[in-house]
Amino acid sequence: MAAPGCHVGTGGEREEEEENGEEKEEEEEEEEEALRAVFPRDPELFAELFPERRRFRLCGRVLHIAEHHGPRLGPAGAVWEAALSLCRFLGEQKLELAGRRVLELGAGTGIVGIFAAMLGAEVTLTDRPPALPQLRENARRNFPGAGAAGPRVRALRWGRDQRRFPPKFHLILGSDIVYDPRAFAPLLGTLRHLVVPPAQALLSARLRGGEAGAARFFRQMLPPFFGVRLLRREPERDIEIYAVTEGLRAGGSMRVRGGL
């Protein structure tokens, strides 16, 4: 259950602002194939939803998030329930994030990383290249004029780009990034590169696909390489939040109440 005063309010408000034109960046063929597998192919189905700007009230903070719905971004263009659950969790746990280096994987709209930045973290938002304009827009909307003080935005394609990111982060965040089994192996490789002591990862997911989906990733693929602990289950939404550490060597990790 969410702590008092730490509920999510979306309001559904749209703000009257003109959309800045998105850069047109070519997607890799296999990334497009993975996207088509989980998202409808007809662009007209989403024309009336592009774009949408919303306000979210989370644990006493207000976040301004643009969602660029459409086939080009697919799932990355929306705020999903698992992201809101992870934000609530971060707000309730009162982790000492001030000055901590945090990286969000598959950030999409960036709502989780932006919330962590509001809690004082030094945040890097990462995703595939097509999602970067949306991430930059949302970083600017929540940290106007912040410059170097706001979240950084960088491309990170799992299994390819992780070597560009030295494993210097204290916390890796990911929400609803475990849905396509074809992405499990590259995601695992990226986590193995980034999650080294004293780092840990907090991952939230909606358990789609039964034992062949997210449950398989958390219960079969991660345990040979990491210590995996279930921190929260939200059965009404089929959402679970896990802490991931490198085996038993987690002595320097941030402490989560009732968890690590």
Side-chain angles (χ1 to χ4, degrees):
M1 297 296 291
C6 202
H7 65 285
V8 177
T10 63
E13 306 117 297
R14 298 193 182 194
E15 299 177 18
E16 298 298 327
E17 298 179 3
E18 292 187 3
E19 173 197 4
N20 291 327
E22 287 193 38
E23 302 172 21
K24 293 186 177 180
E25 302 177 61
E26 185 178 357
E27 295 187 3
E28 297 288 338
E29 182 177 349
E30 56 267 36
E31 292 174 338
E32 291 179 345
E33 181 180 350
L35 185 59
R36 287 194 295 268
V38 296
F39 204 73
R41 303 183 182 188
D42 184 359
E44 296 302 320
L45 291 175
F46 299 92
E48 74 280 4
L49 296 177
F50 183 82
E52 182 176 9
R53 293 178 173 86
R54 303 168 66 186
R55 293 188 184 95
F56 293 85
R57 293 178 176 85
L58 291 162
C59 303
R61 292 169 173 82
V62 177
L63 290 83
H64 301 270
I65 300 295
E67 297 176 308
H68 291 265
H69 301 279
R72 187 164 180 268
L73 290 185
V79 172
W80 299 93
E81 281 295 328
L84 300 178
S85 293
L86 187 52
C87 287
R88 282 195 298 264
F89 183 81
L90 291 173
E92 294 165 18
Q93 292 295 315
K94 302 185 184 303
L95 300 180
E96 296 180 2
L97 291 181
R100 297 281 185 157
R101 294 184 297 272
V102 173
L103 181 143
E104 184 181 2
L105 290 172
T109 64
I111 189 170
V112 176
I114 289 170
F115 184 72
M118 289 182 173
L119 298 178
E122 299 175 3
V123 174
T124 300
L125 305 171
T126 70
D127 209 318
R128 298 176 302 114
L132 301 190
Q134 176 176 258
L135 286 172
R136 293 189 185 105
E137 177 183 353
N138 285 331
R140 287 194 302 266
R141 289 169 62 80
N142 291 278
F143 293 87
R152 299 180 64 197
V153 175
R154 294 184 62 187
L156 198 171
R157 293 168 295 182
W158 305 336
R160 297 184 182 184
D161 301 331
Q162 61 264 24
R163 297 295 174 185
R164 301 176 185 174
F165 295 80
K168 62 179 182 179
F169 297 93
H170 299 101
L171 181 64
I172 310 300
L173 298 173
S175 65
D176 236 343
I177 59 176
V178 184
Y179 57 84
D180 182 359
R182 289 172 295 185
F184 288 179
L187 175 57
L188 177 60
T190 299
L191 289 171
R192 291 186 66 187
H193 173 73
L194 291 172
V195 182
V196 296
Q200 66 175 318
L202 293 177
L203 306 178
S204 66
R206 187 172 181 183
L207 299 185
R208 303 178 180 87
E211 291 302 317
R216 171 173 165 259
F217 184 79
F218 287 108
R219 298 167 191 172
Q220 298 180 30
M221 295 188 69
L222 287 179
F225 306 100
F226 297 104
V228 181
R229 185 187 297 271
L230 177 64
L231 297 179
R232 174 171 296 178
R233 178 181 288 117
E234 299 179 2
E236 69 278 8
R237 300 184 181 91
D238 292 327
I239 290 172
E240 294 183 347
I241 299 176
Y242 289 87
V244 178
T245 55
E246 188 182 73
L248 300 177
R249 294 179 293 165
S253 297
M254 288 180 291
R255 306 297 294 182
V256 177
R257 293 201 304 268
L260 301 178

